[in-house]
Amino acid sequence: MTDVTTQPARTAYDGWCERRWRLPAVFLALAWLVVALAVVLAGEKRSNLDQLVASVGAGDVTRVEVVGLPQRPGWRGRTQVTLRWQGSVLTRFAEVPVDTRRRSQADVGDPVEYLQAVAYPRDLDITYSEHRSGSYLEWRDWRGPGWTGLVGFLTWFATLVLLRHGPEPRRATRWAWGWLVLLGGPLGSLAYLLLGGPLGVRRREPGRGRLTGGWAFLLALILFGSTTE
């Protein structure tokens, strides 16, 4: 009898396995990681006055920085100040309209007196500062050092270049990933790097369809088209 050796089935060639594509993807993912860490560690998360009042009342916050409140003796008027405090993990801020004349129910009077009354009988350390100098990045409910905006933009643009000139992406068409990266910014870019092929650890199962551009555009609008107030 003839000995027949069964050859294993060939797998489809995957261009993402090439070093010339994989290394840039690794660098882009690391750049996004650096930006994310910088925003979390050196940046601030938007909050609101109600959350600050609850934290002060519970004794969780003992120090508040008031940014932008005029320090002229006898000043009275209406302005907007920023209140900054340290949360359990993140630094948080709230932009609050202030009217020392108390002409509007929507405004807070003297924010220092208001917060100290909430904290009583505990002491609340209040510090003052002028408006922040220099530039900073704002994206949705986060803001961080200005350099993160430049690094983030360059990384986002490089991700688009990789999408345009790299091998055919997985799980979605090139147009579909393009909409997700364009509208999703950092989140869409990371999704492409992890799931679209450059850093993906799982291949798309044979025979399964891919997300097309039209559906991806609608999905991107739902996920990234609005910001949280």
Side-chain angles (χ1 to χ4, degrees), residues 124-139:
L124 182 64
D125 184 15
I126 301 290
T127 60
Y128 298 90
S129 64
E130 300 295 332
H131 288 287
R132 305 177 80 189
S133 59
S135 61
Y136 54 87
L137 163 73
E138 288 199 30
W139 188 75

Side-chain angles (χ1 to χ4, degrees), residues 60-73:
D60 298 330
V61 173
T62 59
R63 180 174 181 177
V64 176
E65 179 184 0
V66 182
V67 183
L69 183 67
Q71 295 299 294
R72 298 189 300 272

Side-chain angles (χ1 to χ4, degrees), residues 128-209:
Y128 298 90
S129 64
E130 300 295 332
H131 288 287
R132 305 177 80 189
S133 59
S135 61
Y136 54 87
L137 163 73
E138 288 199 30
W139 188 75
R140 295 182 181 266
D141 288 336
W142 292 88
R143 66 184 186 186
W147 63 265
T148 58
L150 176 61
V151 175
F153 174 79
L154 293 177
T155 306
W156 171 79
F157 183 76
T159 304
L160 284 174
V161 173
L162 181 66
L163 170 62
R164 172 64 179 84
H165 297 284
E168 186 68 22
R170 303 174 186 170
R171 294 181 174 84
T173 64
R174 208 180 296 271
W175 269 106
W177 280 118
W179 286 121
L180 293 172
V181 173
L182 280 171
L183 299 180
L187 299 180
S189 299
L190 283 174
Y192 165 67
L193 293 174
L194 295 174
L195 303 176
L199 299 178
V201 295
R202 292 184 58 188
R203 292 178 178 273
R204 182 175 59 88
E205 292 81 355
R208 291 192 59 179

Side-chain angles (χ1 to χ4, degrees), residues 6-14 203-204 206:
T6 303
Q7 297 292 331
R10 285 189 174 184
T11 58
Y13 173 73
D14 185 7
R203 292 178 178 273
R204 182 175 59 88

